[in-house]
Amino acid sequence: MAVALDRPVSSPAGQIQATRRAFRRPAAIASFLRSGFAKAALHSQPPLVHDRPQRWIVVAGGRRIGYQEVRRVACCCSTEGRILDLEPKAEKERRRVDVVVAAVMTVILGVGNRVLYKLALVPLKHYPFFLAQLATFGYLVVYFSFLYLRHKSGIITEEMLSLPKHRFVTVGLLEALGAVCGMAAGAMLPGASIPILSQSFLVWQLLLSTVFLGRRYKTNQIFGCLLVTVGVIITVASGSGAGQSLKEAGFFWALMMITSFFFQAADTVVKEIIFLDSARQLKGHSLDLFVVNSYGSAFQALFICLLLPFLSKLWGVPFRQLPSYLRDGAACFLNMGSLSSGCEGAPLLPLLFVSVNMAFNISLLHLIKISSALVSCLASTFSVPISVYIFTLPLPLLGVPSALPAGFITGAGILLIGLFMYTWQPFVGPSSERAPIDH
């Protein structure tokens, strides 16, 4: 949050104290920003340096002013102005540690998600579409259960539930479109090419964050993201023959897969916009994760139902045979009846996958909330080479482990250099945050 001082004060320390006294409550801050006076105040400041006029801006760092915790409400920052940060250094360090811990958890859960998906498909190898629908509709039950309990306990307020739903509809539509395009292309592309094409996700994140969030990334951040992409491509592609297989599959399906990652990247950017704008609408209170997850998943399930005939065809299941397919898949999942042969490991492995996948999605959303969509994307990307290495270990039910790709060490090294380059300087500062002001 950034607050422009409404009157000149003799010193930076006096400015900070005056702002804290004036804006003890988030409601007062929100009221001040909505009044439109904040923007006008920037232009009414007298010069603080005699030889060159400068405008002072007090930045609250986005976490706490006064007694209550708040998130960014608005930003009056100007690239021409000087910035005073109200947030103590210890608070900044704590926030940085929170982001690092959340990123590490996201990487761990991302690796577990990839490994357990392979393991879950061992008993359900003939019913992958059933597993996908189990995850999609299972989320609704779990998310809305948490939503109900957190609402009853007062964590989720009526104001959170009454937020406009059109952006949640957008989230559900983007997730459904991403699933449809990904399934269509995945049925035609070789498996080794999909992790390579998935690196377009990071590029989409950079572009969409710049366009819709108004962010301006430093050269080292852009270069670091490109190195991360190159590192993952080298790690996955070396020795797999993915390039030749991709060429044989055709340009159209590769473009379709890239489009699916565009929808997924747009989905994460919309979620970040929801968090940023809800802080202003809720007068500084932070929107609960399960509000976004629950309504987003509900609209995704709605669009999935509308697209079910098309999706079932992509999975090789005629729509008229879908009821019997789902019934047989449920029998295999429960490891019951005459169809239980070959379903050893169910329902434990599929349930483990669904649980870890749900935890991974929550972790990603939490990371978006406390940092940005791009940081969550980098954390998810970092899990790819680790997963490649895990699959070279003797895992149960997967048979003979695959060999380590020839360029794994080189690709992993480039990826680590890219991450170092991105974090070499602080994350995008307040002057480049998206922060609308009400006029």
Side-chain angles (χ1 to χ4, degrees):
M1 181 187 306
V3 179
L5 294 175
D6 60 343
R7 54 197 172 96
V9 185
S10 58
S11 67
Q15 289 179 320
I16 295 173
Q17 293 301 323
T19 305
R20 284 176 171 167
R21 286 195 301 269
F23 301 118
R24 278 295 189 186
R25 298 185 307 277
I29 299 168
S31 176
F32 172 79
L33 294 169
R34 284 198 301 271
S35 70
F37 180 77
K39 190 173 182 181
L42 282 175
H43 302 281
S44 64
Q45 297 300 318
L48 294 176
V49 179
H50 294 294
D51 60 343
R52 193 175 79 177
Q54 296 189 23
R55 289 174 293 188
W56 283 84
I57 303 160
V58 180
V59 178
R63 293 298 292 179
R64 188 164 56 194
I65 291 180
Y67 301 119
Q68 300 185 30
E69 183 172 281
V70 299
R71 193 163 169 82
R72 291 180 295 271
V73 176
C75 183
C76 309
C77 297
S78 168
T79 56
E80 300 173 11
R82 298 177 63 183
I83 294 175
L84 289 175
D85 201 338
L86 284 181
E87 188 177 35
K89 185 177 180 180
E91 182 73 7
K92 280 186 178 181
E93 290 300 323
R94 188 188 68 80
R95 289 201 299 121
R96 188 174 287 110
V97 170
D98 288 345
V99 171
V100 171
V101 171
V104 170
M105 286 301 302
T106 301
V107 171
I108 294 172
L109 291 171
V111 173
N113 180 60
R114 292 174 181 273
V115 173
L116 286 172
Y117 178 68
K118 284 280 190 181
L119 292 174
L121 285 178
V122 172
L124 294 177
K125 56 182 174 293
H126 300 300
Y127 306 101
F129 184 64
F130 172 82
L131 180 61
Q133 302 317 305
L134 175 68
T136 299
F137 292 95
Y139 293 162
L140 289 179
V141 177
V142 175
Y143 286 154
F144 275 96
S145 297
F146 276 104
L147 183 71
Y148 174 79
L149 293 175
R150 292 170 76 84
H151 178 55
K152 284 293 185 182
S153 65
I155 299 174
I156 295 177
T157 63
E158 291 293 338
E159 289 78 10
M160 294 180 187
L161 297 178
S162 62
L163 287 173
K165 303 299 186 294
H166 63 279
R167 282 180 176 158
F168 298 124
V169 175
T170 304
V171 166
L173 178 61
L174 289 171
E175 290 179 348
L177 290 175
V180 170
C181 293
M183 288 181 186
M188 304 300 296
L189 292 171
S193 66
I194 294 176
I196 297 174
L197 295 173
S198 70
Q199 300 317 300
S200 61
F201 184 84
L202 188 54
V203 178
W204 288 128
Q205 283 282 8
L206 282 170
L207 294 175
L208 294 173
S209 296
T210 300
V211 173
F212 293 101
L213 292 172
R215 288 205 166 93
R216 298 297 180 265
Y217 295 100
K218 299 178 178 66
T219 303
N220 69 290
Q221 292 176 315
I222 297 174
F223 186 62
C225 289
L226 293 178
L227 283 180
V228 168
T229 300
V230 172
V232 173
I233 291 175
I234 293 175
T235 300
V236 175
S238 58
S240 66
Q244 183 62 31
S245 300
L246 186 60
K247 184 177 179 180
E248 293 173 357
F251 175 76
F252 174 79
W253 295 112
L255 184 62
M256 180 69 75
M257 181 60 73
I258 292 173
T259 303
S260 76
F261 289 113
F262 165 79
F263 288 128
Q264 294 176 41
D267 167 51
T268 60
V269 170
V270 171
K271 287 176 179 176
E272 186 175 356
I273 291 173
I274 289 174
F275 283 121
L276 290 175
D277 286 354
S278 64
R280 178 172 54 85
Q281 297 167 1
L282 298 173
K283 295 183 173 64
H285 293 286
S286 180
L287 180 63
D288 192 84
L289 294 174
F290 285 95
V291 176
V292 180
N293 270 335
S294 299
Y295 285 111
S297 297
F299 287 113
Q300 180 194 10
L302 173 62
F303 288 115
I304 289 292
C305 288
L306 295 176
L307 296 170
L308 206 54
F310 180 63
L311 289 173
S312 64
K313 185 178 180 180
L314 290 176
W315 283 101
V317 182
F319 186 67
R320 64 179 182 277
Q321 298 179 12
L322 190 58
S324 60
Y325 171 88
L326 294 176
R327 184 178 62 251
D328 294 344
C332 182
F333 169 73
L334 296 173
N335 205 359
M336 296 171 55
S338 59
L339 295 175
S340 62
S341 178
C343 298
E344 292 79 10
L348 177 61
L349 290 175
L351 285 177
L352 276 175
F353 162 69
V354 172
S355 300
V356 172
N357 182 259
M358 192 178 306
F360 174 60
N361 288 329
I362 294 173
S363 178
L364 271 178
L365 192 59
H366 174 65
L367 192 54
I368 292 173
K369 180 179 178 179
I370 66 174
S371 59
S372 69
L374 183 62
V375 173
S376 70
C377 176
L378 287 170
S380 179
T381 301
F382 189 62
S383 68
V384 175
I386 300 178
S387 302
V388 171
Y389 174 75
I390 294 295
F391 284 122
T392 65
L393 303 177
L395 298 176
L397 303 178
L398 292 183
V400 180
S402 58
L404 195 67
F408 179 84
I409 301 299
T410 302
I414 293 175
L415 186 148
L416 289 173
I417 293 173
L419 289 175
F420 173 77
M421 287 292 296
Y422 182 85
T423 57
W424 182 33
Q425 295 179 4
F427 297 137
V428 179
S431 61
S432 56
E433 292 283 353
R434 174 187 183 272
I437 300 177
D438 290 338
H439 295 278

